[in-house]
Amino acid sequence: MTGEIATGDIVAHGAANDVARTGVPTTRHDEASDRTGTTGVLDRRSPGRLPGRIDVLPVAAHQLPPSSGLFVGRTSELNRMEAWHRENSERALLVALTGSGGIGKTTLACHWLRQHERRFPDGQLYVDAGTRSAEHPIAAAELLGRLLRALGVPPERVPLEMAERLSWYRSITAGRSLSVLVDNVVSTAQVRPLLPESATSTLLVTSRSRLVGLTMEGARFMELAPLNAEDVVHILSRKLGRSRVSREMGNARLLAKLCAGSPLAATEISAWLAARPRRSLAHAANLVREQRKRMTTLPRSEDFAAHSVVDICYQGLSPQAATLYRRLAQHPRGDLPVALTHHLAGIEGSDSERVLAELRDARLLGAGEQRYWFHDLVLAHARTMSLGEDSPAVRRRTLHSVIDWYIGRAVEADLVITPRRPRFGRHYPSRANDWPVWDSPESALDWFERERGNLRAVIIEAHHNQWDEPVWQLCEAMWGFFFHRKHYRDWIDSHRLGIEAASRLGHPLAESRLRCQLAFAYLDLEHFDEAMDVCLPAPRLPEAGWDSAELSTTLSELTSAARRGSGHDDAGSNTSDERPGERKIVRISSAALSRARAPRAETTGNHRIG
């Protein structure tokens, strides 16, 4: 692989790359995919067995989601959690908070952890174990990888195999006092490996499911009941003002009953009323009651009340806001950077600031400094509305727009990270002379880090829709990021899809490029057989698909890999001592090198990546 990266511009292995970030999660591969192709030595700088001492820079991460500023009730629940914490135990406290969507599981967990932050001086970690769509849970291996990075493990040292990640995690957490909040858990298999190896640590889990399988791990279970009427009225008072609620206390209590003790429903209807100061609480109660009657034909669920109120808030939106609400829900994960929301609003011809403010005020869209997001229950509602009100062509066009935006932004970041290497994707020529969006390669890498889960989801969504061009183009654009941040599982999985896509398109140049990029992942892991398997077809691609400088670099590495794999590190080793298969690899690589180097050898020079 060719390219030019100034070593002074990028700190590939520094702790600055691994400052604690609130991951959002979400991946779309199951745990089986984490075991594919992971045999052998894991990393050139990481031995196959757990070392006696793991050198990491201690990081006290603080990753809890931002507070909503609205917490009421739950006194008995807080007291029970406190009592569990005070019990003597020889292992970390494991608490599973369960209940329906919108019942306040995450809010309770975060509130208790913030109250007792001093108990966890070694950090408060957070991972989201589900996707916003809740369709494909994140594998335990991926969750462990995120936690290891948050704990200070450099990205290039995070092992690929599940078993070794677990060993590292247990070693690093031993004797430390930290909390881990795992949100939106789907199965016990996601949780078991995440219990810290310390009696002074706490693992909190939230789930809609009753995770009875955690009994063997000594879990304490708490199923959250609905809030009582007084607590719901208190939410209304805080959002609408005490005087407004006091004037209609009877209707306030009726609303509390109709909200069925759901904090989400209470917050949503409060937002609806706050935007309509002249509407009475009686009017809102009638709307909720009528909406619940209309929904009696639908299957009854535990979050029935919350869904009814969300639907009322949706019906109260302006046409532009309602359209954007449905468009934003086409995002594969429902977790959007601010720039993308403005992009989608612009496509619809909306006044983006006004429309987004309307969605925020209606509590249909969560907002932070750099991101917007959907509560999973609200996202499900938005997608349901889109299925009923938007044509398949409109939904497809919106998803295409999301994917194109990510390709364009990834291309811009890649041009900052590796400005001179040849590219083949169609987005590069139009952006090559643009003013850089990022002021340094490091900031471009950080953008990739923040959007890693979204980029993975976009690639898989494009693959599922058989949109092959975006798949391989995103893989090409992510090369510099993968090379420096070492997310090997994403690197391998995405590039296998990219190679398949380029092959289907009959694009030998793209296929050759991705094979070379993938080979470097395997070489970095010292998985020499896999590197050879994936790279050797490149020289056999049609002549029009050759990129001679790229093959020159990769095949040089491949030749070295063949010799290293057989223990012949000396470049001058006699091939007669090698096994026949290794001799063949060296012979093929050397022959291809002699052809590839001639026209463009000067391209690689001293700037070879790898």
Side-chain angles (χ1 to χ4, degrees):
M1 187 62 62
T2 62
E4 183 171 302
I5 300 182
T7 56
D9 291 338
I10 299 177
V11 185
H13 310 313
N17 293 352
D18 296 282
V19 293
R21 303 175 182 90
T22 301
V24 182
T26 264
T27 197
R28 287 193 175 211
H29 64 269
D30 58 22
E31 191 163 343
S33 71
D34 280 278
R35 296 192 294 268
T36 303
T38 59
T39 59
V41 181
L42 293 173
D43 186 86
R44 295 181 191 179
R45 297 154 297 275
S46 168
R49 292 176 297 177
L50 181 67
R53 180 172 175 266
I54 301 174
D55 294 321
V56 298
L57 180 67
V59 175
H62 296 275
Q63 297 184 312
L64 296 182
S67 173
S68 65
L70 185 62
F71 181 85
V72 300
R74 302 298 188 196
T75 302
S76 62
E77 289 89 343
L78 290 170
N79 289 339
R80 284 173 65 193
M81 293 172 70
E82 184 65 15
W84 289 336
H85 179 80
R86 293 183 181 278
E87 292 178 356
N88 292 326
S89 175
E90 296 181 355
R91 62 193 307 180
L93 173 64
L94 171 55
V95 177
L97 303 176
T98 62
S100 59
I103 204 65
K105 302 180 291 294
T106 305
T107 301
L108 172 62
C110 289
H111 183 80
W112 185 80
L113 290 172
R114 288 194 180 92
Q115 275 188 327
H116 305 291
E117 183 175 359
R118 292 184 179 180
R119 291 175 177 172
F120 309 109
D122 294 312
Q124 293 187 307
L125 311 185
Y126 173 89
V127 287
D128 191 342
T131 62
R132 295 287 177 180
S133 66
E135 295 170 356
H136 300 276
I138 298 178
E142 167 67 15
L143 299 176
L144 278 172
R146 295 183 189 177
L147 292 174
L148 287 173
R149 288 183 175 86
L151 289 166
V153 178
E156 74 276 7
R157 295 204 69 198
V158 175
L160 190 63
E161 286 186 340
M162 171 66 182
E164 190 159 356
R165 287 187 180 189
L166 179 57
S167 295
W168 281 54
Y169 181 71
R170 287 172 175 169
S171 179
I172 293 171
T173 60
R176 304 183 73 180
S177 297
L178 53 85
S179 66
V180 180
L181 173 56
V182 188
D183 216 0
N184 300 314
V185 168
V186 177
S187 69
T188 58
Q190 292 176 294
V191 178
R192 285 195 179 101
L194 309 184
L195 192 65
E197 194 73 15
S198 170
T200 57
S201 293
T202 295
L203 174 61
L204 283 177
V205 174
T206 72
S207 178
R208 294 191 184 188
S209 306
R210 294 175 176 85
L211 305 172
V212 294
L214 294 179
T215 304
M216 297 298 293
E217 277 67 38
R220 303 304 184 105
F221 298 92
M222 183 189 301
E223 183 167 2
L224 268 60
L227 295 175
N228 59 42
E230 289 74 15
D231 289 334
V232 175
V233 170
H234 187 52
I235 292 175
L236 296 172
S237 297
R238 288 178 61 175
K239 298 293 290 184
L240 304 176
R242 191 171 299 174
S243 59
R244 184 177 178 185
V245 172
S246 296
R247 289 196 299 269
E248 293 188 75
M249 185 55 71
N251 289 316
R253 293 195 176 100
L254 176 58
L255 261 181
K257 180 179 179 181
L258 292 169
C259 286
S262 165
L264 177 64
T267 302
E268 295 284 349
I269 200 64
S270 297
W272 188 89
L273 282 163
R276 298 163 177 81
R278 297 190 178 183
R279 296 290 179 91
S280 66
L281 272 67
H283 178 76
N286 286 332
L287 279 178
V288 177
R289 187 161 41 205
E290 290 302 315
Q291 182 64 19
R292 293 185 64 166
K293 287 180 181 178
R294 283 194 293 270
M295 293 179 64
T296 53
T297 57
L298 300 177
R300 193 69 177 241
S301 64
E302 292 179 329
D303 49 28
F304 179 78
H307 189 87
S308 301
V309 174
V310 169
D311 202 58
I312 289 172
C313 294
Y314 170 72
Q315 299 299 333
L317 295 174
S318 67
Q320 281 187 319
T323 297
L324 184 58
Y325 174 73
R326 300 192 305 271
R327 298 293 186 271
L328 296 179
Q330 303 310 309
H331 187 279
R333 296 176 64 239
D335 171 55
L336 303 88
V338 168
L340 177 55
T341 62
H342 286 289
H343 170 73
L344 292 176
I347 289 175
E348 297 300 328
S350 303
D351 176 357
S352 59
E353 289 293 349
R354 180 188 64 79
V355 174
L356 288 167
E358 186 177 349
L359 292 176
R360 290 196 307 268
D361 292 343
R363 303 284 296 198
L364 293 174
L365 199 61
E369 185 177 345
Q370 298 181 353
R371 313 194 72 76
Y372 288 99
W373 64 87
F374 286 97
H375 186 284
D376 56 354
L377 187 148
V378 178
L379 179 61
H381 174 271
R383 288 177 173 170
T384 299
M385 293 300 101
S386 183
L387 285 171
E389 300 182 35
D390 298 324
S391 68
V394 167
R395 295 195 300 274
R396 188 165 53 250
R397 186 167 62 246
T398 303
L399 181 58
H400 259 300
S401 182
V402 170
I403 294 172
D404 278 347
W405 184 88
Y406 272 109
I407 296 175
R409 190 54 61 95
V411 162
E412 292 167 354
D414 182 42
L415 285 168
V416 174
I417 298 167
T418 53
R420 291 185 175 87
R421 76 182 179 100
R423 274 88 166 184
F424 312 130
R426 64 180 177 84
H427 287 255
Y428 280 98
S430 63
R431 287 173 164 82
N433 297 317
D434 289 350
W435 188 261
V437 177
W438 293 273
D439 57 7
S440 69
E442 193 67 33
S443 61
L445 287 168
D446 286 341
W447 177 83
F448 272 118
E449 195 75 61
R450 287 192 300 272
E451 296 301 320
R452 181 170 71 95
N454 283 335
L455 288 163
R456 179 176 51 232
V458 162
I459 289 173
I460 294 173
E461 193 72 31
H463 170 74
H464 286 168
N465 283 278
Q466 297 184 344
W467 298 340
D468 292 328
E469 287 282 352
V471 175
W472 79 258
Q473 289 172 20
L474 275 168
C475 291
E476 180 187 40
M478 293 180 74
W479 155 249
F481 169 64
F482 284 140
F483 181 81
H484 286 280
R485 292 295 173 88
K486 309 298 183 185
H487 294 284
Y488 290 116
R489 186 71 270 156
D490 286 1
W491 189 349
I492 293 169
D493 289 347
S494 64
H495 277 59
R496 287 199 172 279
L497 295 181
I499 291 167
E500 179 184 328
S503 177
R504 275 199 300 266
L505 288 169
H507 196 322
L509 198 60
E511 184 180 349
S512 173
R513 160 62 55 84
L514 297 193
R515 285 185 177 278
C516 292
Q517 291 184 181
L518 179 55
F520 271 104
Y522 287 128
L523 289 171
D524 217 20
L525 294 165
E526 294 191 353
H527 293 180
F528 301 127
D529 290 342
E530 288 91 338
M532 295 164 192
D533 288 344
V534 75
C535 196
L536 284 181
R540 295 197 294 270
L541 294 171
E543 189 72 23
W546 273 56
D547 177 39
S548 57
E550 184 165 30
L551 283 170
S552 174
T553 300
T554 308
L555 293 169
S556 291
E557 284 286 334
L558 197 58
T559 303
S560 298
R563 290 180 169 129
R564 288 200 306 273
S566 61
H568 296 87
D569 294 324
D570 184 358
S573 295
N574 187 340
T575 57
S576 63
D577 295 332
E578 298 163 358
R579 292 176 303 190
E582 288 146 7
R583 289 200 301 272
K584 180 180 179 182
I585 291 164
V586 174
R587 195 164 54 248
I588 294 172
S589 300
S590 299
L593 275 170
S594 65
R595 299 176 59 195
R597 279 177 172 153
R600 291 171 55 193
E602 72 279 359
T603 306
T604 42
N606 294 322
H607 303 301
R608 179 177 59 82
I609 299 175

